[in-house]
């Protein structure tokens, strides 16, 4: 499938908030779902660069948000029914300098599918920590070597 990656627009806000809320509730089963709210999306992406992934029919499949100053991937969320079809890969590949640039992220240890996804895309575990949603691993992209 061919994905269209574009900047976030104001009219995307509610749909992205719905994706963020529904995917978190479905994925983070170890966290009380009452702790997740639609308003979290605006608060958690404040000051970040958000890119949207659209299917050829215009349906929003998901998004990525980065804290550009630190090359930190804060969020990458894809609708469950569209996972495994390349949307997440397209979002990663849309990042400036990918894959020569070093990006980092935190991935909850219990989120095994996400960790497998990132490891398959060249990320390596470079640290560990704890958050209110559980233990996490810091993952860093090892830049592809020029051969």
């Amino acid at each position: 499938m061919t994905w269209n990656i574009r900047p976030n627009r104001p009219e995307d806000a509610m749909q992205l908030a719905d994706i963020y809320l529904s995917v978190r509730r479905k994925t983070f089963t170890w966290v009380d779902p009452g702790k997740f709210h639609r308003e979290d999306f605006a608060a958690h992406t404040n000051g970040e660069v958000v890119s949207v992934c659209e299917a050829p029919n215009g349906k929003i499949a998901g998004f990525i948000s980065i804290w550009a100053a630190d090359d930190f991937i804060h969020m990458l969320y894809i609708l469950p029914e569209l996972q495994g079809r390349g949307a997440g890969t397209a979002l990663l590949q849309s990042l400036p300098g990918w894959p020569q640039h070093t990006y980092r992220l935190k991935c909850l240890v219990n989120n095994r599918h996400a960790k497998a996804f990132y490891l398959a895309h060249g990320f390596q575990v470079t640290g560990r920590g704890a958050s209110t949603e559980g233990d996490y691993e810091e993952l860093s992209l090892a830049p592809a070597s020029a051969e």
Side-chain angles (χ1 to χ4, degrees), residues 55-74:
N57 65 3
K59 177 180 176 136
I60 294 179
F63 66 90
I64 191 169
S65 74
I66 63 169
W67 187 255
D70 291 332
D71 299 321
F72 184 78
I73 300 169
H74 184 212

Side-chain angles (χ1 to χ4, degrees), residues 2-147:
T2 302
W3 300 101
N4 176 44
I5 309 301
R6 62 167 175 80
N8 176 36
R9 296 188 285 236
E11 59 268 25
D12 297 328
M14 289 306 295
Q15 196 169 358
L16 297 181
D18 286 344
I19 291 170
Y20 187 48
L21 177 63
S22 66
V23 174
R24 289 169 78 204
R25 284 184 173 166
K26 181 177 168 82
T27 304
F28 303 154
T29 56
W30 58 92
V31 178
D32 174 4
K35 293 186 183 276
F36 302 132
H37 306 282
R38 184 169 279 105
E39 300 79 24
D40 293 345
F41 177 77
H44 295 172
T45 58
N46 186 31
E48 297 184 349
V49 176
V50 178
S51 297
V52 173
C53 180
E54 288 180 330
N57 65 3
K59 177 180 176 136
I60 294 179
F63 66 90
I64 191 169
S65 74
I66 63 169
W67 187 255
D70 291 332
D71 299 321
F72 184 78
I73 300 169
H74 184 212
M75 295 186 244
L76 195 163
Y77 284 80
I78 305 296
L79 287 170
E81 66 269 22
L82 295 174
Q83 290 177 7
R85 297 186 185 181
T89 298
L91 283 165
L92 286 178
Q93 291 174 346
S94 75
L95 293 173
W98 182 272
Q100 270 52 40
H101 196 74
T102 300
Y103 284 95
R104 321 177 287 112
L105 59 91
K106 291 178 182 175
C107 185
L108 294 172
V109 171
N110 287 336
N111 195 352
R112 290 179 178 85
H113 289 357
K115 182 179 176 185
F117 169 81
Y118 291 119
L119 293 176
H121 285 81
F123 286 83
Q124 299 174 347
V125 176
T126 55
R128 289 175 172 60
S131 75
T132 57
E133 295 176 346
D135 292 342
Y136 66 83
E137 293 176 323
E138 184 172 309
L139 304 175
S140 297
L141 178 67
S145 60
E147 299 192 30

